Amino acid sequence: MKLIDSKSILAKLMATENLRVEQKNVSTAYFDLKNRVLVIPQLDKNISGFLYDLFVGHEVGHALYTPVFEKEDFIIDGETIPFSIVNVIEDNRIERKIKYKYPGLRTSFVKGYKQLVERDFFGTKGVDI
């Protein structure tokens, strides 16, 4: 059984629904809230289980906790909140919740994020954060 197949089964079990899990040539993992599709990027053949678990855990967090929303939901007092800001806040919220629900993911998140930083996944190499 391929790693993607076993992680697809894991994602479906964690999300408690029959999600569709796909691996595509995309820059980052994402979850399509309306169509219930979890997409994981094809990084390379040597991707670690920790990194897969990070991607799957994060996106399952969206499946479980992120409501379907419309652009109008981000307008407060007539001002539109940029989606990038909303996304960072939502990512933080769902990651806390998924790690609470599945404490075994904590190690995968720490090791997976370390690997992403080492790969310069976030484009922060050489940047004074």
Side-chain angles (χ1 to χ4, degrees):
M1 178 180 278
K2 289 184 187 178
L3 184 60
I4 186 66
D5 295 332
S6 63
K7 296 303 180 179
S8 295
I9 294 168
L10 176 65
K12 291 174 184 187
L13 290 170
M14 289 171 54
T16 65
E17 70 175 278
N18 192 19
L19 303 172
R20 195 167 78 232
V21 180
E22 299 176 355
Q23 190 175 38
K24 293 182 177 180
N25 189 18
V26 293
S27 61
T28 189
Y30 66 89
F31 184 70
D32 180 336
L33 291 167
K34 291 180 181 176
N35 297 307
R36 313 304 288 171
V37 178
L38 189 157
V39 177
I40 298 172
Q42 293 177 329
L43 295 178
D44 59 45
K45 299 229 185 264
N46 297 318
I47 187 171
S48 75
F50 294 117
L51 199 47
Y52 259 106
D53 289 347
L54 166 62
F55 285 141
V56 168
H58 177 93
E59 300 309 331
V60 165
H62 283 298
L64 291 171
Y65 305 116
T66 301
V68 176
F69 51 83
E70 301 298 329
K71 190 169 184 156
E72 298 81 38
D73 295 334
F74 306 117
I75 299 174
I76 299 176
D77 295 330
E79 296 291 324
T80 301
I81 301 170
F83 180 74
S84 59
I85 292 173
V86 173
N87 193 47
V88 168
I89 294 168
E90 178 63 3
D91 283 351
N92 181 279
R93 185 182 79 83
I94 60 102
E95 282 192 5
R96 280 185 286 121
K97 291 178 83 69
I98 197 74
K99 288 187 286 188
Y100 181 78
K101 184 173 179 80
Y102 298 110
L105 283 175
R106 292 173 189 212
T107 299
S108 294
F109 272 62
V110 169
K111 291 183 177 184
Y113 274 121
K114 184 175 186 231
Q115 290 174 13
L116 289 175
V117 169
E118 289 170 357
R119 293 171 181 248
D120 197 29
F121 185 81
F122 303 105
T124 57
K125 190 173 186 171
V127 175
D128 183 10
I129 299 175

PDB file of all heavy atoms in Angstrom, residues 73-107:
ATOM      1  N   ASP A  73     -18.607  37.491   4.599  1.00  0.00           N
ATOM      2  CA  ASP A  73     -18.367  37.179   6.004  1.00  0.00           C
ATOM      3  C   ASP A  73     -17.156  37.924   6.564  1.00  0.00           C
ATOM      4  O   ASP A  73     -16.974  37.975   7.777  1.00  0.00           O
ATOM      5  CB  ASP A  73     -18.154  35.671   6.196  1.00  0.00           C
ATOM      6  CG  ASP A  73     -19.402  34.870   5.873  1.00  0.00           C
ATOM      7  OD1 ASP A  73     -20.511  35.420   5.979  1.00  0.00           O
ATOM      8  OD2 ASP A  73     -19.268  33.687   5.515  1.00  0.00           O
ATOM      9  N   PHE A  74     -16.329  38.495   5.694  1.00  0.00           N
ATOM     10  CA  PHE A  74     -15.107  39.170   6.135  1.00  0.00           C
ATOM     11  C   PHE A  74     -15.208  40.681   6.033  1.00  0.00           C
ATOM     12  O   PHE A  74     -14.202  41.370   5.912  1.00  0.00           O
ATOM     13  CB  PHE A  74     -13.901  38.656   5.345  1.00  0.00           C
ATOM     14  CG  PHE A  74     -13.762  37.170   5.404  1.00  0.00           C
ATOM     15  CD1 PHE A  74     -13.855  36.405   4.269  1.00  0.00           C
ATOM     16  CD2 PHE A  74     -13.588  36.524   6.624  1.00  0.00           C
ATOM     17  CE1 PHE A  74     -13.744  35.023   4.326  1.00  0.00           C
ATOM     18  CE2 PHE A  74     -13.484  35.145   6.688  1.00  0.00           C
ATOM     19  CZ  PHE A  74     -13.557  34.397   5.538  1.00  0.00           C
ATOM     20  N   ILE A  75     -16.416  41.202   6.101  1.00  0.00           N
ATOM     21  CA  ILE A  75     -16.630  42.650   6.080  1.00  0.00           C
ATOM     22  C   ILE A  75     -17.114  43.064   7.465  1.00  0.00           C
ATOM     23  O   ILE A  75     -18.130  42.582   7.960  1.00  0.00           O
ATOM     24  CB  ILE A  75     -17.655  43.058   5.004  1.00  0.00           C
ATOM     25  CG1 ILE A  75     -17.139  42.647   3.622  1.00  0.00           C
ATOM     26  CG2 ILE A  75     -17.926  44.560   5.064  1.00  0.00           C
ATOM     27  CD1 ILE A  75     -18.128  42.860   2.500  1.00  0.00           C
ATOM     28  N   ILE A  76     -16.349  43.951   8.093  1.00  0.00           N
ATOM     29  CA  ILE A  76     -16.696  44.458   9.416  1.00  0.00           C
ATOM     30  C   ILE A  76     -16.723  45.972   9.346  1.00  0.00           C
ATOM     31  O   ILE A  76     -15.751  46.608   8.930  1.00  0.00           O
ATOM     32  CB  ILE A  76     -15.685  43.984  10.479  1.00  0.00           C
ATOM     33  CG1 ILE A  76     -15.687  42.458  10.558  1.00  0.00           C
ATOM     34  CG2 ILE A  76     -16.007  44.611  11.838  1.00  0.00           C
ATOM     35  CD1 ILE A  76     -14.665  41.880  11.497  1.00  0.00           C
ATOM     36  N   ASP A  77     -17.851  46.545   9.739  1.00  0.00           N
ATOM     37  CA  ASP A  77     -18.037  48.004   9.695  1.00  0.00           C
ATOM     38  C   ASP A  77     -17.681  48.570   8.322  1.00  0.00           C
ATOM     39  O   ASP A  77     -17.057  49.624   8.212  1.00  0.00           O
ATOM     40  CB  ASP A  77     -17.205  48.692  10.785  1.00  0.00           C
ATOM     41  CG  ASP A  77     -17.663  48.334  12.185  1.00  0.00           C
ATOM     42  OD1 ASP A  77     -18.870  48.059  12.353  1.00  0.00           O
ATOM     43  OD2 ASP A  77     -16.823  48.326  13.109  1.00  0.00           O
ATOM     44  N   GLY A  78     -18.049  47.845   7.274  1.00  0.00           N
ATOM     45  CA  GLY A  78     -17.821  48.312   5.913  1.00  0.00           C
ATOM     46  C   GLY A  78     -16.417  48.071   5.392  1.00  0.00           C
ATOM     47  O   GLY A  78     -16.126  48.350   4.234  1.00  0.00           O
ATOM     48  N   GLU A  79     -15.526  47.534   6.217  1.00  0.00           N
ATOM     49  CA  GLU A  79     -14.144  47.276   5.814  1.00  0.00           C
ATOM     50  C   GLU A  79     -13.948  45.780   5.578  1.00  0.00           C
ATOM     51  O   GLU A  79     -14.361  44.956   6.400  1.00  0.00           O
ATOM     52  CB  GLU A  79     -13.163  47.743   6.899  1.00  0.00           C
ATOM     53  CG  GLU A  79     -13.176  49.239   7.143  1.00  0.00           C
ATOM     54  CD  GLU A  79     -12.602  50.026   5.984  1.00  0.00           C
ATOM     55  OE1 GLU A  79     -11.646  49.551   5.339  1.00  0.00           O
ATOM     56  OE2 GLU A  79     -13.120  51.122   5.719  1.00  0.00           O
ATOM     57  N   THR A  80     -13.316  45.448   4.459  1.00  0.00           N
ATOM     58  CA  THR A  80     -13.037  44.044   4.154  1.00  0.00           C
ATOM     59  C   THR A  80     -11.720  43.628   4.792  1.00  0.00           C
ATOM     60  O   THR A  80     -10.693  44.278   4.594  1.00  0.00           O
ATOM     61  CB  THR A  80     -12.966  43.824   2.632  1.00  0.00           C
ATOM     62  OG1 THR A  80     -14.207  44.218   2.059  1.00  0.00           O
ATOM     63  CG2 THR A  80     -12.692  42.374   2.298  1.00  0.00           C
ATOM     64  N   ILE A  81     -11.766  42.534   5.547  1.00  0.00           N
ATOM     65  CA  ILE A  81     -10.550  41.979   6.135  1.00  0.00           C
ATOM     66  C   ILE A  81      -9.874  41.129   5.062  1.00  0.00           C
ATOM     67  O   ILE A  81     -10.518  40.256   4.484  1.00  0.00           O
ATOM     68  CB  ILE A  81     -10.881  41.107   7.364  1.00  0.00           C
ATOM     69  CG1 ILE A  81     -11.612  41.933   8.423  1.00  0.00           C
ATOM     70  CG2 ILE A  81      -9.620  40.477   7.942  1.00  0.00           C
ATOM     71  CD1 ILE A  81     -12.186  41.105   9.550  1.00  0.00           C
ATOM     72  N   PRO A  82      -8.587  41.372   4.778  1.00  0.00           N
ATOM     73  CA  PRO A  82      -7.895  40.569   3.759  1.00  0.00           C
ATOM     74  C   PRO A  82      -7.933  39.079   4.103  1.00  0.00           C
ATOM     75  O   PRO A  82      -7.735  38.687   5.257  1.00  0.00           O
ATOM     76  CB  PRO A  82      -6.459  41.103   3.790  1.00  0.00           C
ATOM     77  CG  PRO A  82      -6.582  42.475   4.367  1.00  0.00           C
ATOM     78  CD  PRO A  82      -7.726  42.407   5.337  1.00  0.00           C
ATOM     79  N   PHE A  83      -8.193  38.259   3.080  1.00  0.00           N
ATOM     80  CA  PHE A  83      -8.300  36.821   3.297  1.00  0.00           C
ATOM     81  C   PHE A  83      -7.024  36.247   3.901  1.00  0.00           C
ATOM     82  O   PHE A  83      -7.078  35.323   4.712  1.00  0.00           O
ATOM     83  CB  PHE A  83      -8.642  36.082   1.998  1.00  0.00           C
ATOM     84  CG  PHE A  83      -8.747  34.603   2.197  1.00  0.00           C
ATOM     85  CD1 PHE A  83      -9.846  34.051   2.839  1.00  0.00           C
ATOM     86  CD2 PHE A  83      -7.730  33.755   1.772  1.00  0.00           C
ATOM     87  CE1 PHE A  83      -9.936  32.681   3.049  1.00  0.00           C
ATOM     88  CE2 PHE A  83      -7.809  32.388   1.976  1.00  0.00           C
ATOM     89  CZ  PHE A  83      -8.927  31.853   2.616  1.00  0.00           C
ATOM     90  N   SER A  84      -5.853  36.778   3.536  1.00  0.00           N
ATOM     91  CA  SER A  84      -4.596  36.246   4.069  1.00  0.00           C
ATOM     92  C   SER A  84      -4.555  36.361   5.593  1.00  0.00           C
ATOM     93  O   SER A  84      -4.050  35.471   6.278  1.00  0.00           O
ATOM     94  CB  SER A  84      -3.392  36.951   3.443  1.00  0.00           C
ATOM     95  OG  SER A  84      -3.459  38.336   3.693  1.00  0.00           O
ATOM     96  N   ILE A  85      -5.117  37.427   6.133  1.00  0.00           N
ATOM     97  CA  ILE A  85      -5.156  37.602   7.584  1.00  0.00           C
ATOM     98  C   ILE A  85      -6.139  36.610   8.207  1.00  0.00           C
ATOM     99  O   ILE A  85      -5.839  35.943   9.195  1.00  0.00           O
ATOM    100  CB  ILE A  85      -5.523  39.052   7.952  1.00  0.00           C
ATOM    101  CG1 ILE A  85      -4.375  39.977   7.540  1.00  0.00           C
ATOM    102  CG2 ILE A  85      -5.833  39.186   9.439  1.00  0.00           C
ATOM    103  CD1 ILE A  85      -4.683  41.451   7.690  1.00  0.00           C
ATOM    104  N   VAL A  86      -7.309  36.503   7.604  1.00  0.00           N
ATOM    105  CA  VAL A  86      -8.312  35.557   8.097  1.00  0.00           C
ATOM    106  C   VAL A  86      -7.751  34.138   8.049  1.00  0.00           C
ATOM    107  O   VAL A  86      -7.933  33.351   8.988  1.00  0.00           O
ATOM    108  CB  VAL A  86      -9.616  35.661   7.273  1.00  0.00           C
ATOM    109  CG1 VAL A  86     -10.603  34.576   7.661  1.00  0.00           C
ATOM    110  CG2 VAL A  86     -10.236  37.035   7.427  1.00  0.00           C
ATOM    111  N   ASN A  87      -7.037  33.802   6.992  1.00  0.00           N
ATOM    112  CA  ASN A  87      -6.493  32.464   6.822  1.00  0.00           C
ATOM    113  C   ASN A  87      -5.470  32.125   7.905  1.00  0.00           C
ATOM    114  O   ASN A  87      -5.482  31.012   8.448  1.00  0.00           O
ATOM    115  CB  ASN A  87      -5.878  32.321   5.430  1.00  0.00           C
ATOM    116  CG  ASN A  87      -5.580  30.880   5.094  1.00  0.00           C
ATOM    117  OD1 ASN A  87      -6.394  30.000   5.288  1.00  0.00           O
ATOM    118  ND2 ASN A  87      -4.373  30.642   4.591  1.00  0.00           N
ATOM    119  N   VAL A  88      -4.596  33.053   8.242  1.00  0.00           N
ATOM    120  CA  VAL A  88      -3.591  32.803   9.283  1.00  0.00           C
ATOM    121  C   VAL A  88      -4.274  32.562  10.622  1.00  0.00           C
ATOM    122  O   VAL A  88      -3.920  31.638  11.362  1.00  0.00           O
ATOM    123  CB  VAL A  88      -2.586  33.975   9.380  1.00  0.00           C
ATOM    124  CG1 VAL A  88      -1.742  33.874  10.632  1.00  0.00           C
ATOM    125  CG2 VAL A  88      -1.698  34.015   8.144  1.00  0.00           C
ATOM    126  N   ILE A  89      -5.266  33.367  10.931  1.00  0.00           N
ATOM    127  CA  ILE A  89      -5.999  33.205  12.190  1.00  0.00           C
ATOM    128  C   ILE A  89      -6.746  31.880  12.207  1.00  0.00           C
ATOM    129  O   ILE A  89      -6.724  31.142  13.209  1.00  0.00           O
ATOM    130  CB  ILE A  89      -6.957  34.391  12.413  1.00  0.00           C
ATOM    131  CG1 ILE A  89      -6.149  35.672  12.619  1.00  0.00           C
ATOM    132  CG2 ILE A  89      -7.884  34.135  13.597  1.00  0.00           C
ATOM    133  CD1 ILE A  89      -6.963  36.950  12.558  1.00  0.00           C
ATOM    134  N   GLU A  90      -7.396  31.545  11.108  1.00  0.00           N
ATOM    135  CA  GLU A  90      -8.139  30.288  11.026  1.00  0.00           C
ATOM    136  C   GLU A  90      -7.195  29.088  11.109  1.00  0.00           C
ATOM    137  O   GLU A  90      -7.503  28.101  11.777  1.00  0.00           O
ATOM    138  CB  GLU A  90      -8.975  30.234   9.739  1.00  0.00           C
ATOM    139  CG  GLU A  90      -9.750  28.957   9.536  1.00  0.00           C
ATOM    140  CD  GLU A  90     -10.813  28.678  10.594  1.00  0.00           C
ATOM    141  OE1 GLU A  90     -11.025  29.508  11.505  1.00  0.00           O
ATOM    142  OE2 GLU A  90     -11.439  27.609  10.514  1.00  0.00           O
ATOM    143  N   ASP A  91      -6.041  29.164  10.441  1.00  0.00           N
ATOM    144  CA  ASP A  91      -5.068  28.071  10.511  1.00  0.00           C
ATOM    145  C   ASP A  91      -4.626  27.834  11.951  1.00  0.00           C
ATOM    146  O   ASP A  91      -4.523  26.693  12.410  1.00  0.00           O
ATOM    147  CB  ASP A  91      -3.860  28.356   9.631  1.00  0.00           C
ATOM    148  CG  ASP A  91      -4.132  28.128   8.155  1.00  0.00           C
ATOM    149  OD1 ASP A  91      -5.200  27.580   7.815  1.00  0.00           O
ATOM    150  OD2 ASP A  91      -3.265  28.494   7.341  1.00  0.00           O
ATOM    151  N   ASN A  92      -4.360  28.900  12.676  1.00  0.00           N
ATOM    152  CA  ASN A  92      -3.962  28.779  14.074  1.00  0.00           C
ATOM    153  C   ASN A  92      -5.078  28.140  14.899  1.00  0.00           C
ATOM    154  O   ASN A  92      -4.840  27.240  15.703  1.00  0.00           O
ATOM    155  CB  ASN A  92      -3.593  30.160  14.624  1.00  0.00           C
ATOM    156  CG  ASN A  92      -3.159  30.084  16.068  1.00  0.00           C
ATOM    157  OD1 ASN A  92      -4.000  30.031  16.974  1.00  0.00           O
ATOM    158  ND2 ASN A  92      -1.864  30.086  16.282  1.00  0.00           N
ATOM    159  N   ARG A  93      -6.298  28.577  14.674  1.00  0.00           N
ATOM    160  CA  ARG A  93      -7.450  28.067  15.421  1.00  0.00           C
ATOM    161  C   ARG A  93      -7.659  26.569  15.182  1.00  0.00           C
ATOM    162  O   ARG A  93      -7.785  25.793  16.128  1.00  0.00           O
ATOM    163  CB  ARG A  93      -8.711  28.843  15.019  1.00  0.00           C
ATOM    164  CG  ARG A  93      -9.957  28.477  15.817  1.00  0.00           C
ATOM    165  CD  ARG A  93     -11.166  29.256  15.307  1.00  0.00           C
ATOM    166  NE  ARG A  93     -11.719  28.684  14.097  1.00  0.00           N
ATOM    167  CZ  ARG A  93     -12.579  27.653  14.080  1.00  0.00           C
ATOM    168  NH1 ARG A  93     -12.989  27.106  15.193  1.00  0.00           N
ATOM    169  NH2 ARG A  93     -13.028  27.197  12.923  1.00  0.00           N
ATOM    170  N   ILE A  94      -7.660  26.160  13.921  1.00  0.00           N
ATOM    171  CA  ILE A  94      -7.944  24.752  13.628  1.00  0.00           C
ATOM    172  C   ILE A  94      -6.783  23.841  14.038  1.00  0.00           C
ATOM    173  O   ILE A  94      -6.996  22.695  14.415  1.00  0.00           O
ATOM    174  CB  ILE A  94      -8.357  24.527  12.145  1.00  0.00           C
ATOM    175  CG1 ILE A  94      -7.277  24.945  11.150  1.00  0.00           C
ATOM    176  CG2 ILE A  94      -9.665  25.228  11.852  1.00  0.00           C
ATOM    177  CD1 ILE A  94      -6.515  23.803  10.583  1.00  0.00           C
ATOM    178  N   GLU A  95      -5.544  24.345  13.981  1.00  0.00           N
ATOM    179  CA  GLU A  95      -4.410  23.515  14.405  1.00  0.00           C
ATOM    180  C   GLU A  95      -4.458  23.266  15.913  1.00  0.00           C
ATOM    181  O   GLU A  95      -4.146  22.172  16.371  1.00  0.00           O
ATOM    182  CB  GLU A  95      -3.079  24.127  13.980  1.00  0.00           C
ATOM    183  CG  GLU A  95      -2.796  23.897  12.514  1.00  0.00           C
ATOM    184  CD  GLU A  95      -1.382  24.220  12.094  1.00  0.00           C
ATOM    185  OE1 GLU A  95      -0.535  24.548  12.959  1.00  0.00           O
ATOM    186  OE2 GLU A  95      -1.113  24.134  10.880  1.00  0.00           O
ATOM    187  N   ARG A  96      -4.834  24.272  16.692  1.00  0.00           N
ATOM    188  CA  ARG A  96      -4.985  24.053  18.133  1.00  0.00           C
ATOM    189  C   ARG A  96      -6.062  23.000  18.393  1.00  0.00           C
ATOM    190  O   ARG A  96      -5.891  22.105  19.222  1.00  0.00           O
ATOM    191  CB  ARG A  96      -5.338  25.348  18.860  1.00  0.00           C
ATOM    192  CG  ARG A  96      -4.115  26.229  19.104  1.00  0.00           C
ATOM    193  CD  ARG A  96      -4.427  27.459  19.941  1.00  0.00           C
ATOM    194  NE  ARG A  96      -5.155  28.433  19.126  1.00  0.00           N
ATOM    195  CZ  ARG A  96      -6.369  28.890  19.411  1.00  0.00           C
ATOM    196  NH1 ARG A  96      -7.006  28.514  20.484  1.00  0.00           N
ATOM    197  NH2 ARG A  96      -6.949  29.761  18.608  1.00  0.00           N
ATOM    198  N   LYS A  97      -7.176  23.099  17.680  1.00  0.00           N
ATOM    199  CA  LYS A  97      -8.290  22.176  17.894  1.00  0.00           C
ATOM    200  C   LYS A  97      -7.956  20.745  17.456  1.00  0.00           C
ATOM    201  O   LYS A  97      -8.284  19.792  18.150  1.00  0.00           O
ATOM    202  CB  LYS A  97      -9.541  22.684  17.167  1.00  0.00           C
ATOM    203  CG  LYS A  97     -10.116  23.947  17.797  1.00  0.00           C
ATOM    204  CD  LYS A  97     -11.308  24.475  17.057  1.00  0.00           C
ATOM    205  CE  LYS A  97     -12.583  23.825  17.402  1.00  0.00           C
ATOM    206  NZ  LYS A  97     -13.152  24.052  18.714  1.00  0.00           N
ATOM    207  N   ILE A  98      -7.281  20.585  16.320  1.00  0.00           N
ATOM    208  CA  ILE A  98      -6.981  19.235  15.831  1.00  0.00           C
ATOM    209  C   ILE A  98      -5.931  18.564  16.712  1.00  0.00           C
ATOM    210  O   ILE A  98      -5.992  17.359  16.970  1.00  0.00           O
ATOM    211  CB  ILE A  98      -6.578  19.224  14.324  1.00  0.00           C
ATOM    212  CG1 ILE A  98      -6.675  17.803  13.733  1.00  0.00           C
ATOM    213  CG2 ILE A  98      -5.181  19.766  14.105  1.00  0.00           C
ATOM    214  CD1 ILE A  98      -8.063  17.329  13.489  1.00  0.00           C
ATOM    215  N   LYS A  99      -4.968  19.340  17.228  1.00  0.00           N
ATOM    216  CA  LYS A  99      -3.961  18.764  18.127  1.00  0.00           C
ATOM    217  C   LYS A  99      -4.575  18.402  19.481  1.00  0.00           C
ATOM    218  O   LYS A  99      -4.112  17.472  20.136  1.00  0.00           O
ATOM    219  CB  LYS A  99      -2.774  19.710  18.304  1.00  0.00           C
ATOM    220  CG  LYS A  99      -1.892  19.793  17.055  1.00  0.00           C
ATOM    221  CD  LYS A  99      -0.639  20.596  17.274  1.00  0.00           C
ATOM    222  CE  LYS A  99      -0.919  22.066  17.330  1.00  0.00           C
ATOM    223  NZ  LYS A  99       0.296  22.901  17.366  1.00  0.00           N
ATOM    224  N   TYR A 100      -5.606  19.109  19.878  1.00  0.00           N
ATOM    225  CA  TYR A 100      -6.315  18.765  21.106  1.00  0.00           C
ATOM    226  C   TYR A 100      -7.125  17.478  20.897  1.00  0.00           C
ATOM    227  O   TYR A 100      -7.132  16.593  21.739  1.00  0.00           O
ATOM    228  CB  TYR A 100      -7.236  19.914  21.534  1.00  0.00           C
ATOM    229  CG  TYR A 100      -7.993  19.632  22.807  1.00  0.00           C
ATOM    230  CD1 TYR A 100      -7.370  19.750  24.049  1.00  0.00           C
ATOM    231  CD2 TYR A 100      -9.325  19.220  22.769  1.00  0.00           C
ATOM    232  CE1 TYR A 100      -8.048  19.472  25.226  1.00  0.00           C
ATOM    233  CE2 TYR A 100     -10.019  18.942  23.941  1.00  0.00           C
ATOM    234  CZ  TYR A 100      -9.383  19.069  25.163  1.00  0.00           C
ATOM    235  OH  TYR A 100     -10.061  18.790  26.314  1.00  0.00           O
ATOM    236  N   LYS A 101      -7.795  17.386  19.746  1.00  0.00           N
ATOM    237  CA  LYS A 101      -8.612  16.201  19.441  1.00  0.00           C
ATOM    238  C   LYS A 101      -7.739  14.967  19.228  1.00  0.00           C
ATOM    239  O   LYS A 101      -8.075  13.869  19.659  1.00  0.00           O
ATOM    240  CB  LYS A 101      -9.465  16.459  18.201  1.00  0.00           C
ATOM    241  CG  LYS A 101     -10.418  15.310  17.852  1.00  0.00           C
ATOM    242  CD  LYS A 101     -11.356  15.703  16.729  1.00  0.00           C
ATOM    243  CE  LYS A 101     -12.295  14.598  16.350  1.00  0.00           C
ATOM    244  NZ  LYS A 101     -13.430  14.466  17.247  1.00  0.00           N
ATOM    245  N   TYR A 102      -6.590  15.141  18.538  1.00  0.00           N
ATOM    246  CA  TYR A 102      -5.672  14.045  18.242  1.00  0.00           C
ATOM    247  C   TYR A 102      -4.275  14.407  18.755  1.00  0.00           C
ATOM    248  O   TYR A 102      -3.420  14.866  17.983  1.00  0.00           O
ATOM    249  CB  TYR A 102      -5.633  13.767  16.735  1.00  0.00           C
ATOM    250  CG  TYR A 102      -6.960  13.330  16.161  1.00  0.00           C
ATOM    251  CD1 TYR A 102      -7.682  14.158  15.313  1.00  0.00           C
ATOM    252  CD2 TYR A 102      -7.491  12.085  16.479  1.00  0.00           C
ATOM    253  CE1 TYR A 102      -8.908  13.757  14.795  1.00  0.00           C
ATOM    254  CE2 TYR A 102      -8.712  11.676  15.964  1.00  0.00           C
ATOM    255  CZ  TYR A 102      -9.411  12.518  15.129  1.00  0.00           C
ATOM    256  OH  TYR A 102     -10.618  12.113  14.623  1.00  0.00           O
ATOM    257  N   PRO A 103      -4.015  14.226  20.060  1.00  0.00           N
ATOM    258  CA  PRO A 103      -2.730  14.645  20.642  1.00  0.00           C
ATOM    259  C   PRO A 103      -1.513  13.992  19.997  1.00  0.00           C
ATOM    260  O   PRO A 103      -0.420  14.554  20.024  1.00  0.00           O
ATOM    261  CB  PRO A 103      -2.847  14.235  22.120  1.00  0.00           C
ATOM    262  CG  PRO A 103      -4.284  14.014  22.377  1.00  0.00           C
ATOM    263  CD  PRO A 103      -4.924  13.671  21.052  1.00  0.00           C
ATOM    264  N   GLY A 104      -1.684  12.837  19.387  1.00  0.00           N
ATOM    265  CA  GLY A 104      -0.568  12.173  18.722  1.00  0.00           C
ATOM    266  C   GLY A 104      -0.023  12.948  17.534  1.00  0.00           C
ATOM    267  O   GLY A 104       1.086  12.691  17.069  1.00  0.00           O
ATOM    268  N   LEU A 105      -0.779  13.915  17.042  1.00  0.00           N
ATOM    269  CA  LEU A 105      -0.324  14.728  15.912  1.00  0.00           C
ATOM    270  C   LEU A 105       0.718  15.776  16.315  1.00  0.00           C
ATOM    271  O   LEU A 105       1.399  16.325  15.455  1.00  0.00           O
ATOM    272  CB  LEU A 105      -1.505  15.456  15.265  1.00  0.00           C
ATOM    273  CG  LEU A 105      -2.413  14.640  14.369  1.00  0.00           C
ATOM    274  CD1 LEU A 105      -3.596  15.484  13.915  1.00  0.00           C
ATOM    275  CD2 LEU A 105      -1.655  14.094  13.175  1.00  0.00           C
ATOM    276  N   ARG A 106       0.830  16.065  17.586  1.00  0.00           N
ATOM    277  CA  ARG A 106       1.730  17.147  18.024  1.00  0.00           C
ATOM    278  C   ARG A 106       3.162  16.928  17.552  1.00  0.00           C
ATOM    279  O   ARG A 106       3.800  17.849  17.048  1.00  0.00           O
ATOM    280  CB  ARG A 106       1.672  17.307  19.540  1.00  0.00           C
ATOM    281  CG  ARG A 106       0.338  17.828  19.987  1.00  0.00           C
ATOM    282  CD  ARG A 106       0.185  17.853  21.471  1.00  0.00           C
ATOM    283  NE  ARG A 106      -1.217  18.178  21.747  1.00  0.00           N
ATOM    284  CZ  ARG A 106      -1.622  18.840  22.783  1.00  0.00           C
ATOM    285  NH1 ARG A 106      -0.763  19.249  23.683  1.00  0.00           N
ATOM    286  NH2 ARG A 106      -2.893  19.089  22.949  1.00  0.00           N
ATOM    287  N   THR A 107       3.670  15.718  17.697  1.00  0.00           N
ATOM    288  CA  THR A 107       5.033  15.415  17.243  1.00  0.00           C
ATOM    289  C   THR A 107       5.144  15.586  15.734  1.00  0.00           C
ATOM    290  O   THR A 107       6.121  16.148  15.238  1.00  0.00           O
ATOM    291  CB  THR A 107       5.433  13.986  17.655  1.00  0.00           C
ATOM    292  OG1 THR A 107       5.402  13.898  19.076  1.00  0.00           O
ATOM    293  CG2 THR A 107       6.817  13.625  17.149  1.00  0.00           C
TER     294      THR A 107
END
